Amino acid sequence: MDDVKIGEILLPGDEEEQESQRERVRKRFWPVLRRAFRQVPFSRDLVAAYYCALDRRTPTRVRGILLAALAYFVLPIDGIPDFLAVVGFSDDIAVLTAAFAAIRGHIREDHYVQADRALMDGLEEAG
């Protein structure tokens, strides 16, 4: 996946687009993560990013970037179909890695605490 496409995917969007992505992510995040858990090497960071993206204290631009990346992760159709073993989530990982690099430092410790709680509870949404 080239930088231009990743850059286009990670556009924060306006408030209406962010709200649409927020709802899409909230509905599909946990089922997709359960399927991808063993293939995504940074699941803890991914769950912390989910909580950061839904946190209204997170700056709007950062939330937009995370919501765009998480929406790409949960989309049923993307660059490489997720059902393909091993490579299925590779494009998702590339987009998420770019998003994490763009928002470095905005995922707070309390987001990681929520992520740890959710992961310990068997990937069920905590709180």
Side-chain angles (χ1 to χ4, degrees):
M1 177 166 293
D2 60 34
D3 291 337
V4 173
K5 184 161 183 144
I6 290 174
E8 291 171 2
I9 291 168
L10 295 179
L11 292 174
D14 59 18
E15 284 291 323
E16 186 176 321
E17 175 65 21
Q18 281 190 22
E19 189 56 35
S20 171
Q21 288 177 337
R22 184 177 193 273
E23 287 309 308
R24 188 178 317 137
V25 167
R26 284 181 62 87
K27 288 178 185 173
R28 297 189 46 87
F29 181 78
W30 296 107
V32 172
L33 181 63
R34 278 187 208 91
R35 285 195 327 266
F37 188 73
R38 293 191 178 162
Q39 297 175 36
V40 177
F42 47 84
S43 294
R44 181 177 185 248
D45 293 316
L46 180 59
V47 177
Y50 169 82
Y51 285 113
C52 182
L54 298 183
D55 186 343
R56 294 288 182 187
R57 297 172 295 169
T58 301
T60 302
R61 181 177 178 281
V62 172
R63 271 197 344 255
I65 290 170
L66 286 174
L67 286 169
L70 292 169
Y72 187 81
F73 175 69
V74 303
L75 285 174
I77 298 173
D78 55 25
I80 301 172
D82 294 338
F83 63 83
L84 294 175
V86 181
V87 297
F89 286 99
S90 61
D91 59 327
D92 302 69
I93 291 169
V95 169
L96 291 164
T97 300
F100 291 163
I103 59 93
R104 188 178 329 244
H106 287 280
I107 300 176
R108 296 189 320 270
E109 184 60 31
D110 60 305
H111 299 136
Y112 280 104
V113 169
Q114 289 176 292
D116 291 340
R117 187 177 307 125
L119 291 169
M120 285 176 41
D121 289 342
L123 300 177
E124 296 297 326
E125 183 173 7

